[in-house]
């Protein structure tokens, strides 16, 4: 059975709420999911997961968080070729440029970007946003179920 990892960084808690809702969606399918903050993800475990959902909010001038998340993600990039990668995060201002840039990186890494794009939420996830994240998690897991 394949496993799914969720690896995220969150300052305000918004992206953590998204990660938790995605994990809830995966759990509802009966698939195996493990959730990690970026600082707690053992990089050598990347090989154990068929799919990884990465979450990071837009920081600074629409970029990934530089001190914790970016170093972990950069270290993992060489191991993402052929893996199914889902992206998610929250933002406060801007137009989602950080997500578009991140999506291009995934494609450059020769990974498979789940659904062709990441999901973003403006500010604190509301009830509808959390449902969007749960459904995203369910679809991510369902794709694995359909392959069995």
């Amino acid at each position: 059975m394949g496993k799914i990892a969720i690896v995220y960084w969150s300052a305000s808690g918004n992206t953590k709420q998204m990660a938790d809702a995605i994990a809830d969606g995966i759990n509802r399918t009966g698939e195996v999911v493990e959730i990690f903050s970026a600082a707690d993800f053992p990089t050598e475990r990347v090989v154990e997961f068929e799919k990884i959902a990465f979450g990071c909010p837009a920081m600074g001038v629409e970029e990934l968080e530089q001190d914790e998340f970016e170093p972990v993600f950069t270290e993992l990039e060489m191991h993402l070729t052929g893996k199914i990668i889902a992206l998610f995060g929250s933002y406060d201002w801007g137009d989602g440029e950080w997500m578009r840039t991140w999506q291009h990186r995934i494609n450059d890494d020769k990974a498979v970007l789940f659904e062709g794009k990441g999901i973003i939420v403006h500010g604190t996830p509301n009830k509808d946003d959390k449902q969007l994240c749960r459904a995203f998690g369910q679809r991510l897991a369902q794709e694995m179920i359909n392959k069995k």
Side-chain angles (χ1 to χ4, degrees), residues 7-19:
V7 180
Y8 74 93
W9 184 88
S10 187
S12 64
N14 295 342
T15 300
K16 181 184 185 322
Q17 289 182 48
M18 294 177 74

Side-chain angles (χ1 to χ4, degrees), residues 6-10 12-19 22 53-59 62-64 69 86-92 96 98-99 102-103 117-125 129 132-133 136:
I6 298 174
V7 180
Y8 74 93
W9 184 88
S10 187
S12 64
N14 295 342
T15 300
K16 181 184 185 322
Q17 289 182 48
M18 294 177 74
I22 291 168
F54 287 105
C56 186
M59 300 293 291
E62 291 226 46
E63 58 195 13
L64 298 174
F69 189 84
L87 301 177
F88 65 95
S90 62
Y91 70 102
D92 189 22
W98 105 102
M99 183 58 72
W102 199 8
Q103 290 168 173
K117 64 180 182 173
I119 60 169
I120 61 176
V121 168
H122 182 258
T124 303
D129 296 328
L132 173 79
C133 291
F136 186 72

Side-chain angles (χ1 to χ4, degrees), residues 17 97 112:
Q17 289 182 48
E97 179 183 352
V112 178

Side-chain angles (χ1 to χ4, degrees), residues 105-123:
R105 279 178 76 176
I106 293 300
N107 291 328
D108 290 346
D109 293 335
K110 308 275 190 278
V112 178
L113 181 59
F114 179 67
E115 295 189 340
K117 64 180 182 173
I119 60 169
I120 61 176
V121 168
H122 182 258

Side-chain angles (χ1 to χ4, degrees), residues 8-104:
Y8 74 93
W9 184 88
S10 187
S12 64
N14 295 342
T15 300
K16 181 184 185 322
Q17 289 182 48
M18 294 177 74
D20 290 342
I22 291 168
D24 182 47
I26 294 167
N27 283 328
R28 290 176 184 207
T29 70
E31 291 299 302
V32 176
V33 62
E34 291 185 51
I35 189 167
F36 304 89
S37 68
D40 294 332
F41 184 70
T43 56
E44 67 276 2
R45 290 200 58 203
V46 70
V47 298
E48 297 177 30
F49 298 96
E50 181 178 338
K51 298 179 183 180
I52 303 174
F54 287 105
C56 186
M59 300 293 291
V61 185
E62 291 226 46
E63 58 195 13
L64 298 174
E65 190 280 328
Q66 294 293 307
D67 295 325
E68 283 186 40
F69 189 84
E70 179 68 42
V72 170
F73 184 75
T74 298
E75 186 176 342
L76 292 172
E77 278 186 285
M78 69 181 77
H79 305 287
L80 301 183
T81 300
K83 285 194 181 290
I84 296 169
I85 304 299
L87 301 177
F88 65 95
S90 62
Y91 70 102
D92 189 22
W93 60 274
D95 69 354
E97 179 183 352
W98 105 102
M99 183 58 72
R100 290 189 301 275
T101 301
W102 199 8
Q103 290 168 173
H104 289 298

Side-chain angles (χ1 to χ4, degrees), residues 128-142:
D128 291 338
D129 296 328
K130 289 178 183 177
Q131 183 52 39
L132 173 79
C133 291
R134 276 187 209 91
F136 186 72
Q138 286 174 317
R139 290 190 310 273
L140 184 63
Q142 192 63 43

